[in-house]
Amino acid sequence: MTFHDTQMEIGSMKINVTGTVQGVGFRPFIYRLAVEHSLRGYVKNLGNNVEIIIEGEGDAIESFLEDIVVKKPPLSFIDRIETNTVPVAGFTDFSILSSEKGAVANSIIPPDTAICPDCLGEMLDESNRRYHYPFTVCTNCGPRYTTVRTLPYDRENTTMIDFPLCNECNQEYTVPSDRRYHAQPVCCSKCGPELVLMDSCGVELARGYDAVVKTAELIDSGGIVAVKGYGGFHLACSTGSDEAVQNLRDRLKRPAQPFAVMSKDIETVRSFASVSAKEKDLLSSNRRPIVVLDKNDDFPLSYHVAPGMHNIGVMLPYTGTQHLLLDRSEVATYVMTSANLSGRPMVVDNEEAFLRLNGIADHYLLHNRLIANRTDDTVVRVVDGNTAFIRRSRGFVPEPIRLPFEVEPTIGFGPELNTTVTIARGDHAYLSQYVGNTKHVETARYHREVVRHLRQLTGIEPEHWGCDLHPGFNTTHLALEMGGDDTVFVQHHHAHIVSLMADNHLPLDSKVIGIALDGVGLGDDGTVWGGEVLEATYFGYRRQAGLMPQPMPGGDLAAYYPGRMVLGILNNVLGRDELERLPLIFKHGESERAAILKQLEKGVNVVQSSSTGRVLAASSALLGVSGYRSFEGEPAMKLESAAKKGRNIVDLPVICKHGLLDTSQLLYGVYEQLGKRSVHDLAYATEDAVARGVAELGISVAKKRGIDIIGLSGGVAYNEHIVGRISEVVLDAGLEFIVHRNLPCGDGGVSLGQAIVAGVKARAEF
């Protein structure tokens, strides 16, 4: 790589490096590199980039520039290097200057990362002064985003300001050759945060490592402990105790929602789950996401950890506290689930923990460092060979998403459930951490705070405000409050497809056939959509095909009791007697079934929906797999688990007429085979028929419209069987098939689509 003509005389250059260059040891790296090349000058943070002035011989400057790229710190990412020749000022040495606030536009704060091997080794070394100290970090690891209050990223602007450095830590912090040089979270047991174990009444039981020892004993003996981490609290208990796991379920009122688990190491994970090479890399990466893995046939953990599921979410320890707990415990795998009530934000404050988790946690393992930014665990799954983000949060936020074109300053507020916020300018978009269900007041308040903080950290003041089409969402209300007449309403499934297009770096003039499959999204005709084939650009869309609209008797009740959807879908193909004999679950029994049939007959309180999620849930209910939804997506997820054991031996009718997949005939095909084929085979057949049907619709539209790219987005795109089958059919037709790579295909990616649509709206019309 050549940056300028080599000159032997003394020269001077100003270099600006943008990217993830704050909080990753970049300035000390530049210092050491400059000293190595006998260069003079300085390096400093400007809030949005690193500025370097170097003076020296031309060949040394060129080597220095090359080494910046080749030898950069492991957590850094270089987006751009700009160089300009400047007059020689006559520096006598190279120094690191204090940060300047400057312009903080498009600032990039690094995400939290797992404790590195060097720090972990010190923490487990009896001769080291940080032996058993759980907050051990260096420039290559530890909390970053969760500690940041404002920019530039210096210690006084983080929650570490509460912990003045001791002499020894200050020496490490100020010596450029030390790997803790300017590591903002650096500390030790003398000057840093401290662990304390308390009972449910707030009585202190132990401190420091003694608190770890006692906590491990409590978990081993069946207790439930709230454990404070980087970005919030987890609830931990033993996976070896049915009683402990069931107690946690009862206290949280989560009868069936799968719990994530944390295992000591990969070998332990392999004792209960299948781990591919790609999954191992994800588990072991310094980002440490929860990875959804298939269970082994011999599953030694408590059944109650993930009841009725073929898979389980697993992560490895990423904080010092977690490593010490599992190292001390007799149990090699803990339940480690986010400490929050359903749909509410994760608990982050010590006092709040006692209030919110009262009656849930038996004990509390706390520390006294404040959490500036609540950040839940990232969740990923390998689907059809690709990494699919179910939730993009800790370890990835607030890293920017590079857009394939530039947008004016814009923001997307997200939908209602599983929402995020995206703010963008130029070719950078910043996706927030997972926010949650904004139906709830606490989550709506948190959503507002995320919007405020993201604007503050990036320095971006939006000019365009994108939100969902649904007028009743709290996210929509906030967008209108802040954006007023500059608010742009974006149809839910169009936002999905735009997010998909940007994720695949398609240029601004691109057109695709987007298949959007999920549970619910308000359509532009006022009905509920969720099984759409759209001809889409960044500027607009046309609804070209999709699933047949079906009646949802009772509206949202049909989502909780999918037996209602069964009656709605089969109402016109089965007689009254047959409908009355279907083995379905209703909250109020047979009297409710009669009322539903009357609703369908008269068309009272019946909503029309093309939702794919509702069709999969209906099949799940008809097959007796899941008749009640206790958590989001449960019937469809359990159908997938049943299908995992199925064989491809049943052909259900795939009938497409006038651009609609006839889901009544599809479900009737399931009904006809009840008792003749296994539940597993029929579950497999349902998924296969849906996949083939939407793929054929997409191919038909693509060929008719002369478009060669078909993409898939929406929550159904987490189903490995459905994604693989659609991909196979599309590729066999000679068309390109795209899926998400870096963004959630569920509602967590919608805010990016909204931001882009709002940001490009002024340029052109569809």
Side-chain angles (χ1 to χ4, degrees):
M1 182 183 297
T2 300
F3 292 90
H4 59 89
D5 292 334
T6 301
Q7 299 177 13
M8 296 306 294
E9 66 270 16
I10 299 300
S12 182
M13 183 168 287
K14 179 180 178 181
I15 305 165
N16 287 90
V17 184
T18 60
T20 306
V21 292
Q22 296 186 56
V24 293
F26 201 83
R27 285 179 296 168
F29 158 70
I30 292 296
Y31 173 89
R32 290 190 293 270
L33 206 59
V35 171
E36 178 184 328
H37 289 284
S38 301
L39 296 171
R40 301 165 298 282
Y42 68 79
V43 59
K44 67 178 177 180
N45 272 341
L46 294 181
N48 67 328
N49 64 81
V50 166
E51 178 184 280
I52 308 164
I53 297 290
I54 49 170
E55 294 181 357
E57 294 184 352
D59 57 349
I61 291 176
E62 182 166 339
S63 297
F64 172 83
L65 285 166
E66 290 176 346
D67 283 349
I68 289 177
V69 177
V70 175
K71 299 179 179 180
K72 62 183 178 65
L75 298 185
S76 67
F77 172 77
I78 296 175
D79 185 36
R80 188 178 295 113
I81 297 179
E82 297 177 354
T83 61
N84 290 287
T85 301
V86 294
V88 175
F91 290 99
T92 58
D93 59 9
F94 195 91
S95 59
I96 297 177
L97 302 186
S98 299
S99 299
E100 293 182 7
K101 286 197 173 182
V104 296
N106 286 13
S107 298
I108 302 173
I109 300 297
D112 292 10
T113 56
I115 184 172
C116 70
D118 288 337
C119 287
L120 183 60
E122 290 174 346
M123 194 180 69
L124 299 177
D125 179 1
E126 291 185 29
S127 64
N128 193 280
R129 73 185 188 91
R130 289 187 171 88
Y131 179 55
H132 283 168
Y133 183 62
F135 302 97
T136 300
V137 297
C138 69
T139 55
N140 296 324
C141 68
R144 297 291 192 275
Y145 178 62
T146 53
T147 69
V148 176
R149 285 173 165 148
T150 187
L151 293 175
Y153 178 66
D154 288 316
R155 192 177 180 97
E156 61 266 25
N157 294 326
T158 75
T159 56
M160 291 304 293
I161 194 174
D162 299 328
F163 304 96
L165 292 167
C166 67
N167 290 336
E168 290 168 295
C169 286
N170 189 61
Q171 176 74 8
E172 294 170 327
Y173 186 81
T174 54
V175 173
S177 60
D178 197 286
R179 83 170 196 279
R180 292 191 170 91
Y181 181 63
H182 279 215
Q184 308 308 338
V186 67
C187 58
C188 70
S189 59
K190 293 180 182 178
C191 63
E194 185 179 20
L195 288 177
V196 58
L197 176 66
M198 293 184 174
D199 67 15
S200 58
C201 297
V203 175
E204 182 179 323
L205 302 179
R207 280 185 174 267
Y209 184 65
D210 289 341
V212 171
V213 173
K214 182 63 176 173
T215 299
E217 292 173 355
L218 290 168
I219 293 174
D220 287 347
S221 61
I224 297 170
V225 182
V227 180
K228 188 177 183 181
Y230 286 169
F233 279 78
H234 290 96
L235 289 165
C237 72
S238 170
T239 57
S241 169
D242 285 342
E243 182 179 2
V245 179
Q246 190 58 52
N247 281 342
L248 183 56
R249 289 205 171 281
D250 293 342
R251 295 177 190 181
L252 285 171
K253 295 181 173 58
R254 294 183 195 166
Q257 185 172 358
F259 287 143
V261 302
M262 178 177 284
S263 291
K264 185 176 181 178
D265 49 38
I266 289 287
E267 290 68 30
T268 301
V269 177
R270 286 199 166 111
S271 71
F272 61 84
S274 172
V275 184
S276 69
K278 184 163 191 170
E279 289 163 340
K280 178 186 175 184
D281 289 344
L282 288 167
L283 283 166
S284 305
S285 74
N286 61 13
R287 300 174 187 266
R288 286 294 200 276
I290 295 172
V291 183
V292 179
L293 305 172
D294 286 354
K295 295 177 181 176
N296 290 341
D297 292 337
D298 181 17
F299 186 71
L301 309 185
S302 171
Y303 168 81
H304 302 293
V305 170
M309 304 294 294
H310 73 284
N311 49 22
I312 183 171
V314 185
M315 58 182 156
L316 296 181
Y318 54 89
T319 72
T321 301
Q322 293 162 356
H323 275 283
L324 291 175
L325 278 172
L326 286 163
D327 182 66
R328 184 72 189 190
S329 182
E330 295 177 2
V331 178
T333 301
Y334 288 169
V335 165
M336 193 69 81
T337 189
S338 297
N340 64 293
L341 299 178
S342 182
R344 272 74 165 183
M346 182 168 56
V347 173
V348 296
D349 179 75
N350 291 352
E351 291 184 9
E352 180 191 15
F354 282 103
L355 178 65
R356 300 285 185 187
L357 304 178
N358 181 38
I360 298 173
D362 300 316
H363 294 86
Y364 299 79
L365 183 60
L366 310 173
H367 61 72
N368 56 339
R369 181 171 62 202
L370 297 177
I371 295 172
N373 297 296
R374 177 189 281 110
T375 308
D376 218 324
D377 295 313
T378 290
V379 185
V380 301
R381 182 181 180 187
V382 176
V383 177
D384 198 34
N386 300 305
T387 302
F389 281 85
I390 298 173
R391 184 167 69 207
R392 182 182 181 272
S393 206
R394 177 191 50 76
F396 294 88
V397 171
E399 280 184 348
I401 301 294
R402 172 65 76 85
L403 300 178
F405 45 80
E406 294 194 348
V407 296
E408 296 176 354
T410 180
I411 187 171
F413 284 78
E416 182 175 57
L417 302 177
N418 302 316
T419 196
T420 58
V421 176
T422 295
I423 194 163
R425 180 174 58 192
D427 61 355
H428 281 76
Y430 299 87
L431 196 73
S432 79
Q433 64 268 40
Y434 170 81
V435 175
N437 181 354
T438 56
K439 274 184 180 179
H440 302 294
V441 174
E442 306 99 305
T443 313
R445 191 181 301 122
Y446 171 44
H447 178 263
R448 179 185 290 269
E449 174 61 22
V450 169
V451 170
R452 183 199 66 78
H453 195 67
L454 204 56
R455 290 170 69 180
Q456 178 192 20
L457 281 186
T458 61
I460 298 174
E461 283 302 316
E463 298 173 7
H464 305 282
W465 311 72
C467 66
D468 198 90
L469 203 58
H470 199 298
F473 289 173
N474 283 325
T475 53
T476 303
H477 297 164
L478 183 60
L480 287 168
E481 175 191 325
M482 293 183 169
D485 292 339
D486 293 316
T487 304
V488 177
F489 296 93
V490 184
Q491 199 281 323
H492 184 85
H493 300 97
H494 181 222
H496 268 301
I497 300 305
V498 167
S499 171
L500 172 68
M501 294 169 69
D503 201 2
N504 282 271
H505 229 66
L506 299 185
L508 188 60
D509 60 353
S510 298
K511 185 177 287 189
V512 304
I513 299 303
I515 300 173
L517 308 179
D518 62 6
V520 60
L522 182 65
D524 56 30
D525 60 359
T527 65
V528 177
W529 291 7
E532 313 310 315
V533 178
L534 306 178
E535 179 183 350
T537 71
Y538 288 107
F539 304 101
Y541 68 95
R542 292 190 180 96
R543 190 189 192 196
Q544 298 285 20
L547 269 60
M548 174 188 291
Q550 295 288 3
M552 288 179 63
D556 284 347
L557 273 175
Y560 288 96
Y561 291 91
R564 285 175 167 263
M565 281 305 305
V566 176
L567 295 182
I569 293 173
L570 296 180
N571 187 51
N572 292 323
V573 294
L574 291 182
R576 175 90 182 204
D577 290 348
E578 293 170 299
L579 292 171
E580 289 176 345
R581 289 197 300 269
L582 291 174
L584 303 171
I585 296 173
F586 302 101
K587 185 176 182 179
H588 301 292
E590 290 307 305
S591 62
E592 184 174 341
R593 185 197 301 256
I596 295 168
L597 292 174
K598 177 106 25 201
Q599 276 182 299
L600 290 165
E601 181 184 335
K602 295 182 177 291
V604 177
N605 193 23
V606 175
V607 178
Q608 293 295 312
S609 172
S610 57
S611 166
T612 309
R614 298 293 86 82
V615 172
L616 296 173
S619 179
S620 187
L622 184 60
L623 292 171
V625 173
S626 178
Y628 171 68
R629 192 194 83 183
S630 67
F631 65 90
E632 185 72 25
E634 178 179 2
M637 289 169 65
K638 288 189 172 176
L639 183 76
E640 181 185 4
S641 290
K644 191 76 175 177
K645 300 175 183 176
R647 299 166 295 168
N648 188 15
I649 61 172
V650 180
D651 281 326
L652 297 178
V654 178
I655 301 170
C656 298
K657 290 183 180 179
H658 310 295
L660 296 175
L661 173 61
D662 191 335
T663 48
S664 289
Q665 288 301 316
L666 192 157
L667 195 63
Y668 178 68
V670 175
Y671 167 77
E672 283 192 313
Q673 296 291 332
L674 289 176
K676 301 174 185 176
R677 301 287 190 177
S678 75
V679 167
H680 299 141
D681 292 342
L682 290 174
Y684 184 98
T686 298
E687 293 181 344
D688 204 70
V690 168
R692 285 187 290 122
V694 295
E696 289 171 11
L697 287 173
I699 292 166
S700 175
V701 173
K703 291 184 174 179
K704 187 184 300 182
R705 301 293 299 169
I707 297 171
D708 57 7
I709 299 176
I710 294 179
L712 175 64
S713 188
V716 175
Y718 296 124
N719 183 303
E720 187 170 17
H721 176 201
I722 291 177
V723 174
R725 194 72 169 100
I726 293 174
S727 174
E728 178 186 3
V729 175
V730 169
L731 293 174
D732 284 349
L735 299 171
E736 183 179 352
F737 182 67
I738 59 173
V739 294
H740 285 278
R741 306 289 179 177
N742 304 296
L743 298 169
C745 45
D747 282 2
V750 165
S751 65
L752 178 75
Q754 293 171 343
I756 291 174
V757 172
V760 303
K761 185 174 177 59
R763 296 196 190 183
E765 295 296 330
F766 184 64

